[in-house]
Amino acid sequence: MWEAFLAILTLPLATGAAPEQLCKYDDVLQYLNISSEKAPALHTIPKENWEEPLKVEVQFILMSILSVTEKLQTVTVYFLVTMKWKNVFVTWNPQDFCNISNLVLPVDTFWSPYIIIYEQVDEEKSLSRPFLSITHNGIVSKTQQQQVTITCSLEMHQFPFDTQTCNMSIFSFMNSETDIILLSSQTTEEANKQSQLYHLTNGEWKFMNINIIQHTESLEEEEFAVITYEISMKRRPILYVLNLIFPTCALYLQDMIILFSASSFGDKISFQLSLIIGESMLALILKDILPTSSDDPPIIECLCPNDYGCIGDLPINAAEEETPPPIPQGYETAEMPRAR
C-alpha cells in the first residue's frame, strides 16, 4: 500500500512534462534559406515549367483624382495596385512552425513583376515602400500606393459641362506573354464598387466609373499582356457657372437692352467699351484654362466674339441719329448774309 502511494507521487518526476515548442519567424526564414545578414540573391520568375507562363493577378483601386491640367492634357491620379502570384519554391508546413502561415518581407527578397504604365509622363512616385506578403502555400502578394501623371486626350467642346475618359495601360515591359500573363482579379463592377468606397477627394472632378479591358499588344515581334483601365470623370461646373456663365449672360442681356433702347450714342459707346473689357477678361481666363491646340474649341469660347459684332452697328445707328434735319424748300440756294 505504501509502495503504491510513493509510486503515484514520483510518477510526474519520472516521466517529466512535455517541453513547450518555441517558434520564431527566423525559423521559417532559415528553413527557406533566407539570411538577413547578406543581400538576397536575384531570383528569376518562379516557374517549374518554363513553357507555361506565370499568372499574375492585378487588383486596381482608384483612390483620388488629384488634378487635371487642360493646357498640358495631363491627369494626376492616386491609386492602389495589388499584384498576386504563386512562388512554388517558397512553401512550408505551418504545423512545423507553431502554425505560422504568413510572412511579411521586403520587396527585394524574392522576384516580383516589374510593371509600367504606358501613358505615364512623369517620374513614378511610390508613397510607401512595398513589402511582400507570403503565405505557407507560396502565394505572394505586393500592394503599393502610387501617384502618377498620365497623358489624356481631353475633349473641351462642352466645357465646363464636359465628361472625360482617360486610359491607364499596365503591362510588364521586361517579360512577354510567354513568361507572364497579367489578369485582372476583379470585374468591372467590383472595381467600380471598391473605387467608389475608398475614393478620398471631392473636388472639381467627380469619379464616374472604371472599365477594365484585357488585351494583347505586339512589340518587336513579341506579345505582351496588357490591362487597360478606362477612367471616366465628370467636371463639377458650379464654379464656372457662377463666375463665368452667369456674368456673361448678364452682360449680353444688358447689351441687347442698351442697343435697342433710346439712350444716347455716348451712353451706348460707354457701355460697349465696358462690355469689351469684361469679355477680354473672360477670354484671358479661358486662355489660361483651355489647351492651345484644341481642334474643337469650347462653345463658351465661341460666344465671346459674337458680342463684338454688335458694336459695328453703333456707328451706323449713330450716323442716323446725328443726321441734321432736312433744309426747308426755298432756302437751299439762299446765301448767308455777309458780315461787314
Side-chain angles (χ1 to χ4, degrees), residues 46-65:
K47 298 193 301 181
E48 287 183 324
N49 187 0
W50 286 98
E51 297 180 355
E52 296 181 0
L54 178 67
K55 296 181 180 180
V56 178
E57 298 181 352
V58 181
Q59 181 185 28
F60 179 87
I61 300 177
L62 181 65
M63 306 291 290
S64 176
I65 301 174

Side-chain angles (χ1 to χ4, degrees), residues 70-71 73 154-157 290-298 301:
E70 291 87 351
K71 204 172 188 64
Q73 298 274 287
L154 303 176
E155 300 293 337
M156 305 298 297
H157 183 67
L290 302 179
T292 56
S293 60
S294 178
D295 297 331
D296 194 8
E301 191 177 39

Side-chain angles (χ1 to χ4, degrees), residues 53-58 176-183 214 225:
L54 178 67
K55 296 181 180 180
V56 178
E57 298 181 352
V58 181
S176 63
E177 197 175 26
T178 58
D179 295 328
I180 294 178
I181 296 181
L182 296 180
L183 300 173
Q214 302 186 60

